[in-house]
Amino acid sequence: MRLVVDRGNHTPVYIQIFEQIRRMIISGELSPGFRLPPERKLAQSLGVNRTTILNAYRELKAEGLVGSHVGNGTVVLSCLQDESDLRNFTSQEPAWNQIFSHHANDFDSYFLKDLLTLASRKDVISFATGMASPENGPLNAFLGIEKELIVSRNNKPLQHSPTEGFTSLREAISGLMHKRGVYCSYDEIMLLSGSQQGLDVAARIILDPGDIVVVEEPSFFPAIQVFKSIGARVMGIPMDEKGMRVDLLEQLLQRYRPKLIYTIPTFHNPTGTEMELERRKRLIELAYKYKVLIIEDDAYGGLCYEGHSLPLLKAMDNDGYVIYLSTFSKTVYSGLRLGWMTAHKKVIKKFAAAKQIMDLHSSSLSQWIIEQFIRSGGLEAHIPRLCKDYREKRNAMYDALTKNAPADLLWNMPRGGYYIWCKLPCGVSASKLIIRAAERKVVFVPGTPFFTSGQGDDFIRLNFTFEELKDITDGIQRLCAAMKELIDEQNHCDVYPALEINPIV
């Protein structure tokens, strides 16, 4: 229900509100039984006195349009129709704006859905989606599956699993975590339908509306959407080349006492940066000091192209303040939709209760495939090959940018992960560039969705893992040509400034 108050109008405000609601009821936009907002809540949203809303509702009651019932608030009443109205009655679509919840307005899936659709087109070069390379996937992981399932009559992969996941796979993942410096048992691990499900579950079991969540600025945009959809307040902490500005974080912790910190310390999405070791240590100290939980999102930690990855936050945590999320989607196949969480047993128990309501358990078949892949040594052999391929693609994109980029375009050389983060030349807008690039059959992600504050139109994120090596250079050439076109147009406008026209009086 959208209401507008025109304070420049001589009509009393309560009459303006009354007339707008009256039109909605008569037109059928507000159907019988629709509950009007409580007077106090509506007054706050419109910035008026509660008495103004009471007077508007009183006028509606006087016309028999609404009624008040104890426990139900103020609801729209049925309007009598004569027989001619009933004979001429035609079916109409549901009033969707009344059906969907207020939280539903915070879900914006179209952005990601459109990127996935474009990425699937063969004529488009996609630097947009964070997807694993389809040609670099370990097809050997699927060899023998048909024989194992049908000939050997092994029906375990086709049955239900516990909500936490098969114990045997959790034990195998425990072994992976040991190699990452986290010495956990299988009952501190839970399987997820992609690590993004872990964010959704965490929001449900940890946050209440109005709670504060701290994220890096910029940050993974689906995480921002998840936290906001639950009614949380999301606050961003700036980053530099060493990761989150932990010195600024402490000031926020002192003042606002947030409920949760969300961070991607290793090969950050979207910037590709790493949080330095000293900041990781300090972040754990601050979590202990201010009693605040940390979600460590480590989707890309295994994809290190030079040297070694820094220690996980979870490896530094001895008291259970870190909830660790990771995934097989970035290293095996995106479509398996299988991730995992490592956390305190009490957290696992709460997560399992929430997940059971969602989907009962993650795909048994995906769990079985991954378990065989781990236990056969296939995953351990696959990661170095994958890192070699992705390093070549990263270098190809970096070199293509060096050769073709316009002056003043800035970009980084990430040591791992999926992304190169670019700052556009002054005056070049990502929202305009995405249109020009699409005309050249190239797509990317503009920076704006990654910021909580509406900034980011001067940044873009480029994925180098998805496209084949031969298409990366071509795609960067097209993208840079689109940038130069926008710069040339801007320079042309600067040479020929708009004439000043005197207004006609």
Side-chain angles (χ1 to χ4, degrees):
M1 187 176 74
R2 295 181 60 86
L3 299 174
V4 178
V5 173
D6 183 359
R7 301 188 187 279
N9 193 325
H10 294 298
T11 303
V13 173
Y14 82 94
I15 294 295
Q16 295 182 39
I17 296 171
F18 155 72
E19 289 178 344
Q20 291 178 69
I21 297 177
R22 182 178 183 273
R23 283 195 297 269
M24 294 179 192
I25 295 173
I26 293 175
S27 68
E29 184 178 348
L30 299 183
S31 57
F34 179 82
R35 183 183 300 173
L36 298 181
E39 296 92 346
R40 190 181 304 279
K41 183 176 180 180
L42 184 57
Q44 289 175 346
S45 66
L46 295 177
V48 300
N49 192 285
R50 186 188 176 201
T51 304
T52 302
I53 305 301
L54 287 170
N55 289 336
Y57 282 9
R58 188 176 295 114
E59 293 294 325
L60 292 168
K61 291 175 184 176
E63 289 201 10
L65 297 173
V66 302
S68 296
H69 303 278
V70 178
N72 289 332
T74 303
V75 298
V76 175
L77 300 179
S78 299
C79 295
L80 295 176
Q81 296 174 302
D82 58 30
E83 292 184 0
S84 61
D85 289 336
L86 295 174
R87 285 195 298 268
N88 296 327
F89 176 79
T90 56
S91 177
Q92 295 180 338
E93 279 193 29
W96 298 115
N97 61 325
Q98 300 170 27
I99 291 174
F100 297 127
S101 70
H102 294 299
H103 285 318
N105 295 326
D106 295 323
F107 298 132
D108 181 10
S109 63
Y110 298 105
F111 177 69
L112 183 57
K113 178 178 69 68
D114 290 344
L115 289 179
L116 291 171
T117 301
L118 282 171
S120 66
R121 288 176 47 179
K122 294 182 179 180
D123 62 333
V124 171
I125 296 177
S126 175
F127 300 139
T129 56
M131 295 170 62
S133 168
E135 77 268 12
N136 292 118
L139 283 175
N140 289 337
F142 298 92
L143 292 177
I145 286 179
E146 181 179 356
K147 179 179 179 181
E148 180 68 24
L149 294 180
I150 300 175
V151 178
S152 301
R153 300 291 181 181
N154 178 8
N155 58 15
K156 176 184 175 181
L158 303 177
Q159 296 181 356
H160 284 307
S161 84
T163 300
E164 297 87 346
F166 288 123
T167 299
S168 53
L169 175 55
R170 295 163 73 194
E171 289 173 342
I173 293 175
S174 175
L176 296 180
M177 294 303 299
H178 291 178
K179 294 177 182 179
R180 299 184 184 190
V182 179
Y183 298 98
C184 57
S185 58
Y186 81 92
D187 53 359
E188 295 173 291
I189 291 169
M190 174 176 167
L191 274 299
L192 302 164
S193 300
S195 60
Q196 194 167 322
Q197 185 185 52
L199 296 175
D200 186 46
V201 177
R204 294 169 186 269
I205 70 170
I206 295 174
L207 300 174
D208 290 311
D211 284 342
I212 294 175
V213 180
V214 175
V215 303
E216 290 142 333
E217 185 92 291
S219 188
F220 181 45
F221 64 85
I224 296 173
Q225 289 182 325
V226 165
F227 299 140
K228 286 186 176 180
S229 72
I230 212 72
R233 297 168 57 195
V234 181
M235 294 187 175
I237 295 292
M239 299 179 66
D240 58 23
E241 70 280 0
K242 297 180 180 179
M244 181 194 291
R245 289 282 307 277
V246 178
D247 57 324
L248 300 179
L249 171 65
E250 183 164 17
Q251 300 173 28
L252 189 149
L253 294 175
Q254 289 175 343
R255 183 172 182 179
Y256 295 102
R257 299 288 174 165
K259 191 78 170 290
L260 187 66
I261 298 171
Y262 170 74
T263 178
I264 312 171
T266 305
F267 310 136
H268 181 265
N269 180 6
T271 67
T273 60
E274 299 172 87
M275 186 185 295
E276 68 171 3
L277 182 58
E278 289 305 313
R279 292 191 186 182
R280 293 177 187 233
K281 293 178 180 177
R282 182 57 179 158
L283 180 55
I284 295 296
E285 292 173 356
L286 291 175
Y288 291 169
K289 180 178 179 180
Y290 293 98
K291 309 298 181 185
V292 56
L293 294 180
I294 298 173
I295 292 182
E296 178 181 16
D297 194 340
D298 190 40
Y300 309 97
L303 300 174
C304 185
Y305 309 139
E306 287 95 22
H308 300 281
S309 297
L310 294 171
L312 301 176
L313 296 176
K314 186 63 179 173
M316 302 177 181
D317 173 33
N318 296 319
D319 295 336
Y321 278 83
V322 176
I323 299 172
Y324 175 87
L325 300 176
S326 193
T327 181
F328 295 106
S329 297
K330 305 301 182 185
T331 52
V332 186
Y333 283 107
S334 301
L336 287 173
R337 304 309 306 143
L338 193 66
W340 78 92
M341 175 185 68
T342 304
H344 192 281
K345 294 177 185 179
K346 290 185 178 180
V347 176
I348 297 291
K349 184 177 180 180
K350 286 289 186 181
F351 264 68
K355 178 176 169 61
Q356 189 174 41
I357 298 172
M358 289 180 172
D359 60 3
L360 191 59
H361 60 78
S362 300
S363 166
S364 297
L365 184 57
S366 293
Q367 290 187 57
W368 186 81
I369 291 171
I370 290 296
E371 182 181 342
Q372 303 308 306
F373 194 45
I374 295 173
R375 294 194 180 279
S376 68
L379 180 63
E380 188 173 6
H382 169 66
I383 297 299
R385 292 194 296 266
L386 191 64
C387 287
K388 178 178 180 295
D389 292 334
Y390 286 175
R391 180 168 57 247
E392 291 179 3
K393 291 186 174 185
R394 178 204 60 181
N395 293 346
M397 179 174 283
Y398 187 92
D399 292 343
L401 286 167
T402 302
K403 183 177 180 180
N404 298 283
D408 299 327
L409 178 72
L410 303 176
W411 65 95
N412 62 343
M413 173 68 109
R415 207 166 62 89
Y418 268 34
Y419 310 108
I420 287 180
W421 184 241
C422 304
K423 190 175 192 307
L424 297 173
C426 182
V428 177
S429 163
S431 57
K432 293 181 179 179
L433 179 60
I434 199 169
I435 297 172
R436 295 297 178 89
E439 294 171 355
R440 291 171 167 80
K441 304 294 180 64
V442 178
V443 294
F444 60 87
V445 181
T448 306
F450 299 102
F451 287 80
T452 64
S453 54
Q455 302 174 3
D457 197 41
D458 52 345
F459 289 95
I460 62 174
R461 189 195 75 178
L462 303 177
N463 167 274
F464 54 79
T465 64
F466 180 71
E467 288 293 345
E468 295 185 32
L469 188 62
K470 62 182 178 63
D471 292 325
I472 291 177
T473 299
D474 182 25
I476 293 297
Q477 289 174 346
R478 298 185 201 178
L479 178 61
C480 290
M483 289 186 205
K484 291 175 182 177
E485 183 178 89
L486 288 174
I487 293 171
D488 288 343
E489 291 177 2
Q490 178 185 344
N491 291 338
H492 182 76
C493 291
D494 291 341
V495 173
Y496 301 100
L499 297 176
E500 182 176 350
I501 302 176
N502 291 325
I504 299 175
V505 179

